[in-house]
Amino acid sequence: MLLVLCSLDDTDSQWFARRAAQAGRACVAVSTEQLSFARRHDHRVGPAGDVRTTIELADGAVLDGEALTGVLNRVREPPALAWYRADPAERDYASAELFAYTLSWLAGLRCPVRNTPTPQCLAGPAPDPVHAWAAAHAAGLRCAPVRLGTGTPWPPGDAALAGARAAAAGPVRPRQVLCLDQEVLDRDVPPATASAVRRLAKLLGAETALLGIDFLVGDGDWWFAGLTAVPALRPGGDLLVDRLLQVLETP
Amino acid sequence: MTVLLWGLPDESPVHRVAEELRARDADVVVVDSRAAARDTIDLRLDPGADVGGVLRTHDRTVELAQVTGVYLRPVEPELFPGLEPAELARARRFCDALTSFTELTGSSGQCRVANRLLAMGSNVSKPYQAQLITRHGFGTPSTLVSSDPAEVLAFAGQHGPLVYKSISGVRSIVTAFDPVADAGRLTRLRWCPVQFQEQLDGPDVRVHVVGDRVFATEVTTTAVDYRYAHRGGATATLRALDLDPDVAGRCVALAAALQLPFAGIDLKLVPDGRVVCFEVNPSPGFTYFEHGTGQPIAAALAAWLTGS
């Protein structure tokens, strides 16, 4: 069974789950909110690091890690909705615990998972923005100078975008390029940019991951503007569905 | 050479490393976590150039390109009471930018960092880190993370005495589980699973890895968690241990695999011969062990930071 994990408002993930079902796959979408109110969590790590996890949802459905054949993981927050109205200190502690549990559960799955969680982000690779910028530059993408600190108004995640805005001459449009397991899924990306995107994925250790690489595009220039482990899926269309199903079904 | 220490200057690990660095005539710049709302940083990234910029504390102005070593033990600004929202936002910007610098600097080898925050991440989840640890030749205790009281009792029946502790890196006290006395509280698991582990016999060993140097300390105690032995009226006795070279080598390899030049590895030498690893602490409070054994851990870290 394919499992799609996402937040309740992640309509792109739900779109993919529908497309997978239409393609004849047994596919279930489970929201972070459902995980928050699960009836039972059972996560075991054996002496040799072998992992077994079973989650029973409130409606009685059971997620058995052994029975999953592939997981599209788009979990951005730990399943801590049940603690929403708790005392802030209690809520913060429970959130940290649920983050730690979810990270271990998803990392311990033996089936293909896109994306495998990281300690920085449950949804996958989330390098420091400055590190990502340096990797993008090393990979050969066009990178504008970046300024970051107490004298700049933007958060670190927007520093590359701010730099690209300042450097681009003339009008620009934002563009997100999908890269799955080092394959660029957008056909109109200039070949040199596509090659650099593939190198970027490798430099970030994201060889088996779905990434969205953000650009500002104008006058033939593709300026690197950031990346995300939770890209928009629908623009990828049929090609994304086909490729994603393929990697999720390849042990 | 300029070495940056980021944390609380009066906290003993930071204080000791500063002492040892000054003894080596290093230029020491201490960035006080309490001053994050007042200090300034401007980070520059230009294509084709190394990361640069300027850091200003109350008494120093530092060209970041001149920094050759960094020891990180920062405290999040959100943990300091009394900051106004605007001050907190500014402190957060400072910390984010300084973190970005420490993540990137030295990637080509000109600056030593102990440890990068990205590498420290594995410790946010003990069972996640356990999965990594077992790939490097150590065992891990049988572990159950559960929200189901019946499963916990069954696990206790299978494994004998259990302990429970936090799943996350948020500091917690390892506590013995009493199936009778704790039975009434088990229903509270419903809303947040809790981590239970088999309780193992044998001496605790803390191994500090500094680069490729190893300092092992054996801890003898009757307490479940030796760090808090005094609270229960127990004692903890520390002595330097000559660690088996194979185990020492595995500790160095594990720390290197986790990209931690400085690490505190918690081992249990089980009587049946197993070497079980509980966790790898990426920001060890090493002074407790240094004080208890005389092992020169701060000196070793200062030497590593200065490349000497």
Side-chain angles (χ1 to χ4, degrees):
Chain A
M1 180 181 75
L2 285 178
L3 174 65
V4 175
L5 289 172
C6 59
S7 61
L8 205 53
D9 61 356
D10 184 353
T11 56
D12 274 34
S13 293
Q14 290 152 18
W15 167 83
F16 174 77
R18 282 195 303 276
R19 291 294 304 269
Q22 288 164 6
R25 289 358 187 247
C27 183
V28 175
V30 172
S31 69
T32 315
E33 289 78 1
Q34 283 174 282
L35 291 174
S36 299
F37 295 96
R39 190 181 291 172
R40 187 168 67 90
H41 295 275
D42 187 300
H43 175 61
R44 293 163 194 259
V45 182
D50 43 307
V51 178
R52 178 99 201 226
T53 308
T54 308
I55 298 170
E56 185 179 346
L57 300 175
D59 63 1
V62 174
L63 303 177
D64 179 355
E66 299 293 299
L68 298 175
T69 57
V71 176
L72 174 61
N73 165 37
R74 308 249 297 175
V75 174
R76 283 172 289 193
E77 302 288 338
L81 188 61
W83 292 82
Y84 181 70
R85 292 188 183 279
D87 173 80
E90 294 292 307
R91 185 176 63 228
D92 289 350
Y93 179 76
S95 295
E97 290 290 282
L98 288 161
F99 182 100
Y101 154 63
T102 307
L103 173 63
S104 184
W105 163 44
L106 294 172
L109 288 169
R110 284 198 283 270
C111 64
V113 179
R114 298 294 184 279
N115 292 324
T116 304
T118 65
Q120 289 72 40
C121 175
L122 289 171
D128 178 87
V130 166
H131 184 202
W133 179 94
H137 179 258
L141 290 173
R142 183 146 201 202
C143 294
V146 161
R147 300 291 178 263
L148 181 64
T150 44
T152 52
W154 45 77
D158 290 346
L161 175 64
R165 273 206 189 104
V172 290
R173 61 188 168 85
R175 176 70 191 274
Q176 188 172 75
V177 172
L178 289 167
C179 180
L180 174 63
D181 290 18
Q182 300 181 75
E183 180 186 7
V184 174
L185 300 180
D186 299 67
R187 296 302 186 214
D188 62 336
V189 179
T193 301
S195 296
V197 165
R198 286 191 287 273
R199 283 195 295 273
L200 171 61
K202 194 169 183 181
L203 283 172
L204 293 175
E207 292 94 337
T208 53
L210 174 62
L211 297 175
I213 315 298
D214 292 313
F215 292 93
L216 286 186
V217 181
D219 198 25
D221 288 325
W222 290 62
W223 294 94
F224 174 76
L227 61 84
T228 175
V230 193
L233 300 179
R234 269 184 270 221
D238 293 343
L239 181 61
L240 171 76
V241 173
D242 289 347
R243 291 292 196 271
L244 204 43
L245 286 174
Q246 192 179 341
V247 299
L248 292 178
E249 292 171 341
T250 305
Chain B
M1 61 193 66
T2 298
V3 180
L4 213 67
L5 307 188
W6 184 13
L8 300 176
D10 48 352
E11 196 213 17
S12 56
V14 175
H15 179 72
R16 281 287 299 124
V17 175
E19 272 186 342
E20 292 291 343
L21 285 166
R22 290 187 180 112
R24 284 167 169 72
D25 292 329
D27 174 34
V28 178
V29 177
V30 180
V31 182
D32 188 342
S33 288
R34 297 184 193 91
R38 298 193 302 271
D39 292 345
T40 67
I41 181 170
D42 294 300
L43 208 57
R44 291 193 307 266
L45 291 105
D46 292 303
D50 289 331
V51 58
V54 178
L55 169 74
R56 291 185 181 85
T57 68
H58 76 285
D59 62 347
R60 294 288 303 269
T61 297
V62 182
E63 282 288 339
L64 291 170
Q66 302 303 313
V67 175
T68 55
V70 186
Y71 173 49
L72 288 96
R73 211 172 143 78
V75 178
E76 297 296 316
E78 288 78 6
L79 297 179
F80 293 110
L83 286 180
E84 296 296 324
E87 292 175 308
L88 184 58
R90 193 177 180 291
R92 175 43 57 199
R93 279 206 302 278
F94 176 84
C95 291
D96 286 345
L98 188 51
T99 297
S100 288
F101 168 72
T102 61
E103 289 299 297
L104 193 56
T105 187
S107 49
S108 55
Q110 76 277 25
C111 179
R112 294 182 164 211
V113 182
N115 291 311
R116 296 184 204 282
L117 290 178
L118 192 73
M120 294 196 204
S122 72
N123 196 237
V124 301
S125 169
K126 292 186 182 80
Y128 168 77
Q129 194 188 56
Q131 295 175 47
L132 305 179
I133 286 168
T134 56
R135 294 174 197 164
H136 296 278
F138 291 105
T140 192
S142 290
T143 299
L144 170 68
V145 177
S146 179
S147 62
D148 185 341
E151 288 294 343
V152 174
L153 293 173
F155 189 71
Q158 184 183 355
H159 291 283
L162 302 181
V163 296
Y164 59 95
K165 57 186 177 184
S166 70
I167 315 168
S168 68
V170 178
R171 193 177 177 88
S172 72
I173 302 173
V174 183
T175 307
F177 173 64
D178 184 331
V180 177
D182 292 330
R185 298 196 301 140
L186 282 176
T187 55
R188 298 184 190 177
L189 305 187
R190 173 75 172 80
W191 297 106
C192 188
V194 169
Q195 176 173 236
F196 296 84
Q197 286 184 333
E198 60 176 328
Q199 185 171 7
L200 296 168
D201 291 330
D204 290 293
V205 176
R206 160 58 72 92
V207 182
H208 288 99
V209 175
V210 187
D212 57 3
R213 296 186 68 185
V214 170
F215 302 92
T217 304
E218 181 181 282
V219 184
T220 305
T221 184
T222 53
V224 174
D225 188 332
Y226 66 78
R227 297 170 302 172
Y228 301 97
H230 62 282
R231 289 191 188 176
T235 57
T237 305
L238 279 57
R239 74 173 182 93
L241 177 70
D242 192 10
L243 196 61
D244 176 271
D246 172 61
V247 176
R250 277 188 274 158
C251 287
V252 171
L254 174 59
L258 297 177
Q259 299 179 52
L260 297 171
F262 182 40
I265 301 176
D266 289 323
L267 302 179
K268 185 73 120 175
L269 306 182
V270 186
D272 64 10
R274 282 181 295 154
V275 180
V276 170
C277 178
F278 290 120
E279 66 175 304
V280 181
N281 188 326
S283 184
F286 65 89
T287 45
Y288 170 70
F289 301 91
E290 186 176 69
H291 182 70
T293 64
Q295 292 167 318
I297 301 170
L301 183 54
W304 185 86
L305 287 166
T306 53
S308 55

